[in-house]
Amino acid sequence: MKFSNVRILVKDYRKCFEFYTHQLGLEAAWDVGECYASFKVADGIEGFAIFTSDLMAPVVGNTDKMQPIGLREKSMISFEVDNVDESYKKLSAKGLKFINEPMDMPDWGMRVVHLYDPEENLIELFTPLST
């Protein structure tokens, strides 16, 4: 078995695509119509993708179910950045709203800050703490 990517299923594909490219600054490797995009997460690695939920639902027999919104997070997308505080300032200046401010988490060995994407997927930006 070989890992391919983590793919989140989204209702509003274009809004999420714009968020991850124009606001968060990820480089799209693929943008297929209004249904699928993968993003470069490191040199030569596309480990994160979005896919239109309404296209996946019939395949797995979930067309009668709604996507959960307004519930406790079940997953989180985590990105390492060079400097959490600089990323926080830069993204805040672009209008992104954060859940908290950058903070040290000594037990985790990192400095973190958190925000949501347009569909309430939790995102963490972190920088390892100096040891």
Side-chain angles (χ1 to χ4, degrees):
M1 187 179 311
K2 180 178 158 186
F3 176 78
S4 174
N5 63 46
V6 171
R7 187 176 309 161
I8 59 171
L9 303 175
V10 300
K11 195 76 171 158
D12 189 333
Y13 172 85
R14 187 52 49 194
K15 188 174 186 178
C16 289
F17 181 84
E18 297 297 323
F19 172 82
Y20 284 105
T21 55
H22 294 118
Q23 292 184 290
L24 209 53
L26 296 181
E27 182 182 348
W30 293 92
D31 178 12
V32 181
E34 292 297 310
C35 64
Y36 175 82
S38 65
F39 304 93
K40 295 179 181 178
V41 295
D43 287 337
I45 300 173
E46 300 167 26
F48 175 63
I50 60 174
F51 187 68
T52 302
S53 177
D54 288 345
L55 296 176
M56 180 58 76
V59 176
V60 296
N62 284 336
T63 54
D64 60 333
K65 296 180 181 174
M66 301 297 294
Q67 281 187 301
I69 292 179
L71 304 172
R72 181 183 253 178
E73 296 78 11
K74 189 172 178 180
S75 62
M76 179 179 72
I77 305 159
S78 183
F79 295 102
E80 182 175 350
V81 296
D82 291 334
N83 184 301
V84 165
D85 296 276
E86 288 178 13
S87 294
Y88 173 78
K89 288 176 189 171
K90 178 180 156 189
L91 295 172
S92 292
K94 287 182 162 184
L96 269 67
K97 304 293 181 210
F98 285 82
I99 300 166
N100 50 24
E101 294 183 2
M103 66 182 110
D104 287 347
M105 299 298 291
D107 291 343
W108 299 358
M110 59 181 72
R111 185 162 176 79
V112 301
V113 69
H114 299 92
L115 67 152
Y116 290 114
D117 78 1
E119 296 197 1
E120 297 184 4
N121 294 296
L122 182 61
I123 298 171
E124 176 180 78
L125 304 179
F126 78 93
T127 302
L129 289 173
S130 300
T131 52

